[in-house]
């Protein structure tokens, strides 16, 4: 296996080159032997001859190696080289330093601790000193303001020095948060300013702090200001009050501009969660007796939800991957979703409808938003609309309302090809179906007394709407390609069973609603039995005309036939009387004869080797 970035090596080419080098080596050895023979011959010719008077014995000739021309040899056959397998490189083990040994961590921890302790000291100066009678109110307020201003000035000077970033941020954040708390104390503890005017001043202080954080490019500075002011403000307001909610809303508004063009996700959480938590706690602890207070809480919840929605949309337009902004849409809507219990049914319904309208309007208008934001808008709108439907309608009317909304969203989703709108319709379909099952359960349909008491015109309408909604649910699943052809048949079978139950409920409810007597109940069950057998016959005939649905239609048709016959002999025979019993048996029998005749004709055509003009399948092939 070749490594990424390195081209693969042909093993056959490597083997051929190896053979060529082997043959070349043998030829070089032959050349070397010939050179040795030639060197010996030259050496023998240059040797001096012996003197004549001293004849020497004739030396025996030394056998010289004979010249052998090189014989070409076939290159050795080498096995194909194994593919290159790189040796896995084990990355060096990275030893992570403990967090307290990392660069600047100790200084950051000490700075945060210093901010917390100093701000607690400021609160103690403003509250505890007042309770103990130390100094005067004016001196305490002026001292707190001067101390906060001095911290900001010192922080600015420290920030400009080498290594002074952490200390400068901590000092400036402490001073700005202290000044914010000083303004809260002026309005709540000493009552020198109206809360509205104090909130305007606090807005300016928080805005200045956020502007400094933007200038320094420091999210921690903005976080320390927001968190410090939000955590310690309840101490000055003596708990969760409307004034505290107002000051927390000021923090939410003032810190929003710092997020424009910056990926400061933690600031979004820090500026939003305090006011939402305070609102939820206030709503949970409020009662219906505090009439003016609950309207102020409603106004506060509406402002928080609208500002959270608008600011999140602005952030998402510039950064579509900002999932935190999407989460803030849901978070800011929570108080409005839960405030309904402080009002009567009409008020709760109107509040939920208003929230749902706002969310679905944003969903329809802001089409350039990413999918996660659109899903969040649709989800909050769905919850609000569900709340409005369940709270605003009675128990017997709830299925009709829920299923009507489901049909509307399914149609919109199918026509506009919007899977999100279809999903909303699917949620309402499931909830509406459950509500229908609670309103008209099976044991009510078979009990005459309960049917006369519980079933009526509303049940008839709900049954018809349920049948149409279930059909739209499966039909638009095909249109939106949520169901493949292979998976469609089980869903159609399930939808058909639900529709058949809805038709049965409609017939029985119509009989009881029209007459209000046992005769209507009996007539309704007679019509239900005929409807069962008619559905079985239609399924069998449909299977003969469609090859791809033949097996499923045959199974459903035979199952419904068995169910209709079982109902006819086990329930109708004992419950129906007179003309209704005769009518049920006659119609069911005629339908059985019709189905049997149709199958017999199809089987005969198959035996004769002919097909029907519309390309239908024979009975035998369908049975197979």
């Amino acid at each position: 296996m070749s490594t990424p970035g390195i081209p693969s090596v042909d093993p056959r080419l490597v083997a051929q080159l190896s053979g060529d080098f082997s043959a070349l080596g043998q030829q070089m050895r032959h050349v070397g032997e010939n050179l040795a023979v030639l060197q010996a011959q030259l050496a023998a010719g240059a040797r001096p001859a012996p003197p004549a008077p001293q004849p020497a014995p004739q030396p025996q000739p030394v056998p010289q190696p004979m010249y052998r021309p090189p014989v070409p040899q076939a290159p050795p056959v080498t096995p194909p080289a194994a593919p290159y397998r790189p040796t896995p490189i084990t990355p060096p083990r990275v030893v992570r330093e403990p967090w307290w040994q990392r660069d600047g961590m100790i200084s950051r921890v000490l700075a945060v601790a210093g901010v917390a302790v100093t701000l607690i000291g400021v609160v103690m100066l403003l509250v505890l000193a007042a309770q103990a009678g130390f100094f005067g109110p004016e001196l305490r307020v002026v001292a707190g303001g001067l101390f906060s201003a001095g911290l900001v000035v010192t922080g600015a000077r420290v920030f400009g020095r080498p290594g002074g970033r952490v200390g400068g941020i901590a000092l400036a954040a402490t001073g700005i948060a202290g000044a914010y708390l000083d303004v809260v104390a002026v309005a709540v503890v000493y009552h020198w300013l109206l809360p509205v005017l104090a909130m305007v001043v606090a807005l300016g202080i928080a805005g200045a702090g956020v502007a400094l954080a933007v200038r320094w490019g420091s999210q921690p500075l903005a976080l320390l200001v927001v968190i410090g002011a939000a955590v310690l403000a309840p101490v000055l307001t003596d708990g969760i009050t409307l004034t505290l909610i107002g000051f927390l809303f000021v923090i939410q508004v003032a810190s929003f501009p710092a997020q424009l063009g910056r990926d400061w996700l933690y600031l979004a959480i820090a500026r939003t969660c305090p006011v939402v938590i305070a609102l939820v706690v206030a709503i949970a602890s409020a009662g219906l007796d505090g009439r003016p207070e609950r309207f102020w809480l409603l106004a506060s919840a509406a402002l928080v939800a609208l500002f959270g929605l608008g600011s999140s949309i602005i952030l998402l337009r510039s950064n579509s991957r900002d999932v935190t902004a999407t989460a803030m849409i849901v978070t800011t809507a929570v108080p409005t979703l839960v405030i309904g219990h402080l009002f009567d049914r009409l008020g709760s319904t109107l509040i939920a409808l208003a929230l749902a309208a706002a969310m679905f309007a944003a969903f329809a208008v802001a089409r350039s938003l990413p999918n996660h934001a659109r899903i969040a808008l649709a989800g909050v709108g769905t919850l609000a609309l569900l709340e409005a439907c369940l709270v605003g309608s009675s128990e017997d009317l709830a299925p009709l309302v829920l299923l009507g909304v489901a049909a509307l969203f399914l149609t919109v989703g199918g026509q506009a090809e919007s899977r999100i709108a279809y999903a909303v319709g699917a949620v309402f379909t499931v909830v509406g179906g459950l509500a229908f099952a609670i309103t008209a359960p099976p044991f009510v349909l078979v009990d005459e007394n309960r049917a006369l008491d519980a079933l009526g015109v509303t049940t008839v309408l709900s049954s018809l709407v349920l049948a149409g909604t279930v059909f739209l649910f499966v039909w638009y699943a095909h249109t939106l390609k949520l169901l493949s052809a292979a998976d469609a048949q089980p869903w159609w079978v399930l939808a058909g069973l639900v529709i058949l139950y809805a038709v049965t409920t409609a017939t029985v409810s119509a009989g009881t609603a029209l007459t209000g007597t046992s005769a209507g109940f009996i007539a309704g069950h007679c019509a239900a039995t005929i409807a069962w057998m008619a559905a079985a016959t239609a399924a069998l005939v449909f299977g003969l005309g469609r090859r791809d649905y033949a097996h499923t239609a045959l199974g459903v048709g035979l199952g419904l036939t068995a169910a209709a016959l079982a109902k006819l002999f086990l329930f109708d025979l004992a419950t129906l009387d007179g003309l209704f019993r005769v009518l049920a048996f006659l119609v069911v029998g005629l339908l059985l004869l019709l189905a049997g005749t149709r199958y017999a004709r199809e089987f005969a055509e198959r035996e004769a080797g002919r097909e029907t003009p519309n390309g239908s399948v024979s009975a035998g092939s369908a049975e197979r």
Side-chain angles (χ1 to χ4, degrees):
M1 182 175 64
S2 61
T3 58
I6 300 177
S8 58
V9 179
D10 189 358
R12 294 176 297 178
L13 180 59
V14 174
Q16 181 178 355
L17 290 175
S18 177
D20 292 343
F21 273 102
S22 177
L24 184 59
Q26 291 190 10
Q27 292 185 6
M28 292 299 294
R29 283 197 298 272
H30 289 303
V31 171
E33 292 176 357
N34 294 332
L35 287 175
V37 172
L38 181 60
Q39 185 179 5
Q41 293 176 356
L42 292 175
R47 188 178 303 163
Q54 297 178 358
Q58 189 71 22
Q60 297 294 328
V62 179
Q64 300 294 336
M66 297 180 65
Y67 171 75
R68 291 176 297 175
V71 179
Q73 298 182 1
V77 179
T78 57
Y84 173 71
R85 298 182 181 275
T87 304
I89 301 175
T90 304
R93 183 178 180 182
V94 179
V95 180
R96 301 185 63 181
E97 293 181 350
W99 64 269
W100 61 85
Q101 295 182 2
R102 298 175 189 171
D103 184 24
M105 187 58 66
I106 295 297
S107 61
R108 292 187 180 94
V109 173
L110 293 177
V112 173
V115 172
V117 173
T118 307
L119 287 178
I120 292 174
V122 172
V123 173
M124 293 174 66
L125 173 65
L126 296 173
V127 178
L128 298 182
Q131 295 176 357
F134 296 152
F135 313 112
E138 297 83 359
L139 183 59
R140 287 191 293 269
V141 172
V142 172
L146 292 177
F147 180 68
S148 299
L151 288 175
V152 175
V153 173
T154 305
R157 296 184 63 181
V158 172
F159 184 84
R161 297 176 180 176
R165 180 177 178 84
V166 175
I169 290 173
L171 290 171
T174 306
I176 296 168
Y180 192 93
L181 294 173
D182 197 27
V183 174
V184 175
V186 168
V188 178
V189 178
Y190 303 114
H191 304 287
W192 292 350
L193 280 177
L194 292 176
V196 177
L197 296 178
M199 290 176 190
V200 174
V201 177
L203 179 64
I205 294 174
V210 171
L212 184 61
V214 171
R215 181 179 179 182
W216 289 358
S218 173
Q219 183 179 198
L221 175 57
L223 286 175
L224 289 174
V225 172
V226 170
I227 295 175
V231 170
L232 293 177
V235 179
L236 296 173
T237 58
D238 196 17
I240 306 297
T241 61
L242 287 172
T243 305
L244 173 66
I245 293 173
F247 278 105
L248 295 179
F249 179 69
V250 167
I251 293 176
Q252 182 191 14
V253 174
S255 55
F256 164 66
Q259 289 189 258
L260 296 175
R262 295 167 189 86
D263 196 15
W264 288 5
L265 305 181
Y266 297 109
L267 180 60
I269 300 173
R271 71 180 179 84
T272 304
C273 290
V275 66
V276 172
I277 294 173
L279 272 172
V280 172
V281 173
I283 292 170
S285 59
L288 291 174
D289 52 348
R291 192 173 186 84
E293 182 181 358
R294 62 178 181 173
F295 284 104
W296 281 110
L297 286 175
L298 175 60
S300 302
L303 283 175
V304 170
L306 289 176
F307 185 79
L309 176 62
S311 60
S312 297
I313 290 177
I314 293 174
L315 294 175
L316 287 166
R317 286 184 178 276
S318 60
N319 183 11
S320 60
R321 296 175 296 178
D322 191 357
V323 183
T324 306
T326 298
M328 293 305 103
I329 294 176
V330 181
T331 304
T332 53
V334 171
T336 310
L337 284 172
V338 300
I339 202 173
H341 76 278
L342 299 180
F343 299 86
D344 55 7
R345 172 179 286 187
L346 179 60
S348 301
T349 304
L350 292 177
I351 293 170
L353 285 176
L355 180 60
M359 292 298 166
F360 284 120
F363 175 85
V365 173
R367 298 191 176 185
S368 61
L369 293 179
N371 282 334
H372 55 82
R374 293 174 61 81
I375 291 173
L377 290 172
V380 176
T382 300
L383 290 177
L385 192 56
L386 273 175
E387 181 181 354
C389 293
L390 294 175
V391 173
S393 57
S394 59
E395 183 179 356
D396 58 340
L397 194 60
L400 179 60
V401 175
L402 291 170
L403 292 171
V405 174
L408 174 63
F409 275 97
L410 289 174
T411 304
V412 171
Q415 295 297 324
E417 296 184 355
S418 172
R419 295 189 176 187
I420 299 178
Y422 176 85
V424 175
V427 172
F428 275 92
T429 301
V430 174
V431 178
L434 293 176
F436 182 83
I438 295 174
T439 304
F443 61 85
V444 172
L445 298 180
V446 298
D447 191 327
E448 180 179 340
N449 295 326
R450 291 184 177 181
L452 292 174
D453 294 336
L455 304 180
V457 178
T458 305
T459 313
V460 176
L461 297 176
S462 300
S463 302
L464 298 178
V465 176
L466 174 62
T469 303
V470 171
F471 176 81
L472 292 176
F473 177 79
V474 182
W475 176 262
Y476 283 121
H478 278 287
T479 304
L480 298 175
K481 295 181 173 51
L482 297 175
L483 286 178
S484 62
D487 299 332
Q489 296 187 19
W491 284 97
W492 277 117
V493 172
L494 181 61
L497 295 176
V498 175
I499 293 173
L500 188 62
Y501 181 79
V503 171
T504 303
T505 306
T507 56
V508 177
S509 301
T512 56
L514 290 176
T515 63
T517 61
S518 59
F521 176 78
I522 294 173
H525 271 287
C526 176
T529 304
I530 295 174
W532 286 26
M533 194 60 220
T537 305
L540 292 173
V541 174
F542 178 78
L544 292 176
R546 292 290 299 272
R547 294 179 181 272
D548 48 349
Y549 287 93
H551 297 283
T552 302
L554 178 64
V556 172
L558 294 179
L560 288 178
T561 301
L565 293 177
K567 182 178 184 300
L568 183 65
F569 285 97
L570 298 179
F571 181 81
D572 295 348
L573 190 61
T575 304
L576 306 184
D577 56 0
L579 182 62
F580 294 110
R581 182 187 300 174
V582 175
L583 181 63
F585 272 82
L586 286 178
V587 175
V588 170
L590 290 175
L591 290 175
L592 284 172
L593 291 175
L594 174 64
T597 303
R598 183 70 177 84
Y599 260 77
R601 188 181 68 182
E602 193 72 22
F603 184 78
E605 292 177 353
R606 175 181 175 273
E607 290 295 332
R610 293 181 288 108
E611 283 190 346
T612 57
N614 59 354
S616 61
V617 69
S618 64
S621 61
E623 292 171 356
R624 289 198 303 273

